Coordinates of all heavy atoms in Angstrom, one line a residue:
E1 N -100.1 -13.9 10.5 CA -98.9 -14.2 11.4 C -98.4 -12.9 12.1 O -98.1 -12.9 13.3 CB -97.9 -14.9 10.6 CG -96.6 -15.3 11.4 CD -95.5 -15.9 10.6 OE1 -95.9 -16.5 9.5 OE2 -94.4 -15.8 11.0
C2 N -98.3 -11.9 11.2 CA -97.8 -10.6 11.8 C -98.8 -10.0 12.8 O -98.3 -9.5 13.8 CB -97.6 -9.6 10.6 SG -96.2 -9.9 9.6
L3 N -100.1 -10.2 12.6 CA -101.1 -9.7 13.5 C -101.0 -10.4 14.8 O -101.1 -9.8 15.9 CB -102.5 -9.8 12.9 CG -102.8 -8.9 11.7 CD1 -104.1 -9.2 11.1 CD2 -102.7 -7.4 12.1
S4 N -100.7 -11.7 14.7 CA -100.6 -12.5 15.9 C -99.4 -12.1 16.7 O -99.4 -12.2 18.0 CB -100.5 -14.0 15.6 OG -101.7 -14.4 14.9
N5 N -98.3 -11.7 16.0 CA -97.1 -11.3 16.7 C -97.1 -9.9 17.1 O -96.0 -9.4 17.5 CB -95.9 -11.6 15.7 CG -95.7 -13.1 15.5 OD1 -96.1 -13.9 16.3 ND2 -95.2 -13.5 14.4
S6 N -98.2 -9.2 16.9 CA -98.3 -7.7 17.2 C -97.2 -6.9 16.5 O -96.6 -6.0 17.0 CB -98.2 -7.5 18.7 OG -99.3 -8.1 19.3
T7 N -97.0 -7.2 15.2 CA -96.0 -6.5 14.4 C -96.4 -5.0 14.3 O -97.6 -4.7 14.0 CB -95.9 -7.1 13.0 OG1 -95.5 -8.5 13.2 CG2 -94.8 -6.4 12.2
D8 N -95.5 -4.1 14.5 CA -95.9 -2.7 14.5 C -96.2 -2.1 13.2 O -97.2 -1.3 13.0 CB -94.7 -1.8 15.1 CG -94.6 -2.0 16.6 OD1 -95.6 -2.3 17.3 OD2 -93.5 -1.8 17.1
V9 N -95.5 -2.5 12.1 CA -95.8 -2.0 10.8 C -95.8 -3.1 9.8 O -94.8 -3.8 9.7 CB -94.7 -0.9 10.4 CG1 -95.0 -0.4 9.0 CG2 -94.6 0.2 11.4
I10 N -96.9 -3.3 9.1 CA -97.0 -4.3 8.1 C -97.3 -3.7 6.7 O -98.2 -2.9 6.6 CB -98.2 -5.3 8.4 CG1 -98.1 -5.7 9.9 CG2 -98.2 -6.5 7.5 CD1 -99.4 -6.5 10.3
C11 N -96.4 -4.0 5.8 CA -96.6 -3.4 4.4 C -97.2 -4.4 3.5 O -96.8 -5.6 3.5 CB -95.2 -2.9 3.9 SG -94.5 -1.6 4.9
E12 N -98.1 -4.0 2.7 CA -98.9 -4.8 1.8 C -99.7 -5.8 2.6 O -100.0 -6.9 2.1 CB -98.0 -5.5 0.8 CG -97.2 -4.6 -0.1 CD -98.1 -3.7 -1.0 OE1 -99.2 -4.2 -1.4 OE2 -97.7 -2.6 -1.2
A13 N -100.1 -5.4 3.8 CA -101.0 -6.3 4.6 C -102.2 -6.7 3.9 O -103.0 -5.8 3.3 CB -101.4 -5.5 5.9
S14 N -102.5 -8.0 3.8 CA -103.5 -8.5 2.9 C -104.6 -9.2 3.7 O -104.4 -10.0 4.6 CB -102.9 -9.5 1.9 OG -101.8 -8.9 1.2
F15 N -105.9 -8.9 3.2 CA -107.1 -9.4 3.9 C -108.1 -9.9 2.9 O -108.2 -9.3 1.7 CB -107.7 -8.3 4.8 CG -106.8 -7.8 5.8 CD1 -105.8 -6.8 5.5 CD2 -106.8 -8.3 7.1 CE1 -105.0 -6.3 6.5 CE2 -105.9 -7.9 8.1 CZ -105.0 -6.9 7.8
T16 N -108.9 -10.8 3.3 CA -110.0 -11.2 2.4 C -111.3 -11.4 3.3 O -111.2 -11.8 4.5 CB -109.7 -12.6 1.7 OG1 -110.8 -12.9 0.9 CG2 -109.5 -13.7 2.7
Y17 N -112.4 -11.0 2.7 CA -113.7 -11.2 3.4 C -114.8 -11.5 2.4 O -114.9 -10.7 1.4 CB -114.1 -9.9 4.2 CG -115.5 -9.9 4.7 CD1 -115.9 -10.7 5.8 CD2 -116.5 -9.2 4.0 CE1 -117.2 -10.7 6.2 CE2 -117.8 -9.2 4.4 CZ -118.2 -10.0 5.5 OH -119.5 -10.0 6.0
D18 N -115.4 -12.6 2.6 CA -116.5 -13.0 1.7 C -116.1 -13.0 0.2 O -116.8 -12.6 -0.7 CB -117.7 -12.1 1.8 CG -119.0 -12.7 1.3 OD1 -119.1 -13.9 1.1 OD2 -119.9 -11.9 1.0
G19 N -114.8 -13.5 0.0 CA -114.3 -13.6 -1.4 C -113.7 -12.3 -1.9 O -113.1 -12.3 -3.0
N20 N -113.8 -11.2 -1.2 CA -113.3 -9.9 -1.6 C -111.9 -9.7 -0.9 O -111.6 -10.3 0.1 CB -114.2 -8.8 -1.2 CG -115.6 -9.0 -1.8 OD1 -115.7 -9.2 -3.0 ND2 -116.6 -8.9 -0.9
Y21 N -111.1 -8.8 -1.5 CA -109.7 -8.7 -1.1 C -109.2 -7.3 -1.2 O -109.6 -6.5 -2.0 CB -108.8 -9.6 -2.1 CG -107.3 -9.4 -2.0 CD1 -106.6 -10.1 -1.0 CD2 -106.7 -8.5 -2.8 CE1 -105.3 -9.9 -0.9 CE2 -105.3 -8.3 -2.7 CZ -104.6 -9.0 -1.8 OH -103.2 -8.9 -1.6
C22 N -108.2 -7.0 -0.3 CA -107.5 -5.8 -0.4 C -106.1 -5.9 0.2 O -105.9 -6.8 1.2 CB -108.2 -4.6 0.2 SG -108.1 -4.4 2.0
A23 N -105.1 -5.2 -0.2 CA -103.8 -5.1 0.4 C -103.6 -3.7 0.8 O -103.8 -2.7 0.0 CB -102.7 -5.5 -0.6
V24 N -103.2 -3.5 2.0 CA -103.0 -2.1 2.6 C -101.5 -1.8 2.4 O -100.6 -2.5 2.8 CB -103.4 -2.1 4.1 CG1 -103.1 -0.7 4.7 CG2 -104.8 -2.5 4.3
D25 N -101.3 -0.6 1.9 CA -99.9 -0.2 1.6 C -99.1 -0.2 2.9 O -98.0 -0.9 3.0 CB -99.8 1.2 1.0 CG -100.3 1.2 -0.4 OD1 -100.3 0.2 -1.0 OD2 -100.7 2.3 -0.9
I26 N -99.6 0.5 3.9 CA -98.9 0.4 5.3 C -100.0 0.3 6.3 O -100.9 1.1 6.4 CB -98.1 1.7 5.5 CG1 -97.1 1.9 4.4 CG2 -97.4 1.7 6.9 CD1 -96.3 3.3 4.5
L27 N -99.9 -0.7 7.2 CA -100.8 -0.9 8.3 C -100.0 -0.7 9.6 O -99.1 -1.5 9.8 CB -101.4 -2.3 8.2 CG -102.6 -2.6 9.2 CD1 -103.8 -1.7 8.9 CD2 -103.0 -4.0 9.2
K28 N -100.3 0.3 10.3 CA -99.5 0.7 11.5 C -100.2 0.5 12.8 O -101.4 0.9 12.9 CB -99.1 2.2 11.4 CG -98.2 2.7 12.5 CD -97.7 4.1 12.2 CE -96.8 4.7 13.3 NZ -97.6 4.9 14.5
K29 N -99.6 -0.3 13.7 CA -100.2 -0.6 15.0 C -100.4 0.7 15.8 O -99.4 1.4 16.0 CB -99.4 -1.7 15.7 CG -100.2 -2.3 16.9 CD -99.4 -3.5 17.4 CE -100.1 -4.3 18.5 NZ -100.8 -3.4 19.5
E30 N -101.5 0.9 16.4 CA -101.8 2.0 17.3 C -102.3 1.4 18.6 O -102.5 0.2 18.8 CB -102.8 2.9 16.7 CG -102.5 3.5 15.4 CD -101.4 4.6 15.4 OE1 -101.0 5.0 16.6 OE2 -100.9 5.0 14.4
K31 N -102.5 2.3 19.6 CA -102.9 1.8 20.9 C -104.2 1.0 20.9 O -104.3 -0.1 21.6 CB -103.1 3.1 21.8 CG -103.5 2.7 23.3 CD -103.7 4.0 24.1 CE -104.2 3.6 25.5 NZ -104.4 4.8 26.4
D32 N -105.2 1.4 20.1 CA -106.5 0.7 20.1 C -106.8 0.0 18.9 O -107.9 -0.4 18.6 CB -107.6 1.8 20.4 CG -107.5 2.5 21.7 OD1 -107.1 1.8 22.7 OD2 -107.7 3.7 21.8
G33 N -105.8 -0.2 18.0 CA -106.1 -0.9 16.7 C -105.0 -0.6 15.7 O -103.8 -0.5 16.1
Y34 N -105.4 -0.3 14.5 CA -104.4 -0.1 13.4 C -104.9 1.1 12.6 O -106.1 1.4 12.4 CB -104.3 -1.3 12.5 CG -103.6 -2.5 13.2 CD1 -104.3 -3.4 14.0 CD2 -102.2 -2.7 13.0 CE1 -103.6 -4.4 14.6 CE2 -101.5 -3.7 13.5 CZ -102.2 -4.6 14.4 OH -101.6 -5.7 14.9
A35 N -103.9 1.8 12.0 CA -104.1 2.9 11.1 C -103.7 2.5 9.7 O -102.7 1.8 9.5 CB -103.3 4.2 11.5

């Protein structure tokens, strides 16, 4: 939801791929993507 809303800073941003998981401490929106 935050990604869809172009939220600038997401804390504990959570993702899953092929059953694997990670939470990012701080995901910060940049010009061409995220840091």
Side-chain angles (χ1 to χ4, degrees):
E1 180 184 336
C2 289
L3 293 172
S4 298
N5 295 334
S6 295
T7 302
D8 286 335
V9 180
I10 312 170
C11 296
E12 299 300 325
S14 300
F15 300 85
T16 184
Y17 169 76
D18 197 21
N20 304 308
Y21 169 83
C22 81
V24 177
D25 290 339
I26 302 173
L27 189 66
K28 182 175 180 289
K29 194 175 188 309
E30 302 287 351
K31 180 180 179 182
D32 299 319
Y34 287 85

